[in-house]
Amino acid sequence: MLAKEEAVAEALIRERIEELATALRAKDIDAVMSIFAPDLVSFDIVPPLRYVGADNKRRAWQEAFAMYAGPFGYELHDLNVTAVGDLAFVHSLNHVTATLASGHVTDLWLRWTACLRRIDGDWLVVHDHVSVPADLEHGRAALNLTP
């Protein structure tokens, strides 16, 4: 019975994350935020070191969407989901393609890890971490890596 419950939870979580990717591509801030818990703690790719609360995550996404003119490409790759009880852990490699208002094209791969909790029957992200590898020798992000 437990395996069936975990399989159902995994399917629901995969659906929620696909909805998130669709919302990101549409720059639909309300749909994006529907997956984040109000007390979210986020280690995002842009400063500060930590966002606490969904309102701060909302502001970060609104600022990101405002920076990009036209379409916002967001693809999930190698999504891995582990769910046990009311907690789940996910990770994926995500490809972002978009053009800044300045004309600079963003084309990079991100690492995304998230912890979800089933709250009132709905799977919500309570913690996420977005990163890119670092070139420690030169003190900068390694943005040219691909899977």
Side-chain angles (χ1 to χ4, degrees), residues 56-132:
N56 289 318
K57 185 74 166 186
R58 173 184 286 272
R59 245 185 317 283
W61 272 117
Q62 287 172 320
E63 289 171 7
F65 291 155
M67 289 174 38
Y68 291 98
F72 188 82
Y74 194 92
E75 301 171 11
L76 295 160
H77 293 267
D78 303 326
L79 178 63
N80 181 282
V81 178
T82 302
V84 178
D86 288 336
L87 290 175
F89 166 78
V90 302
H91 60 83
S92 61
L93 296 174
N94 301 345
H95 188 209
V96 177
T97 53
T99 303
L100 291 167
S102 67
H104 175 78
V105 175
T106 299
D107 183 349
L108 66 111
W109 287 85
L110 306 169
R111 303 176 295 192
W112 182 61
T113 305
C115 178
L116 293 89
R117 188 171 64 218
R118 188 170 20 211
I119 301 171
D120 297 327
D122 201 12
W123 286 99
L124 299 175
V125 174
V126 294
H127 173 70
D128 76 341
H129 187 123
V130 182
S131 67
V132 294

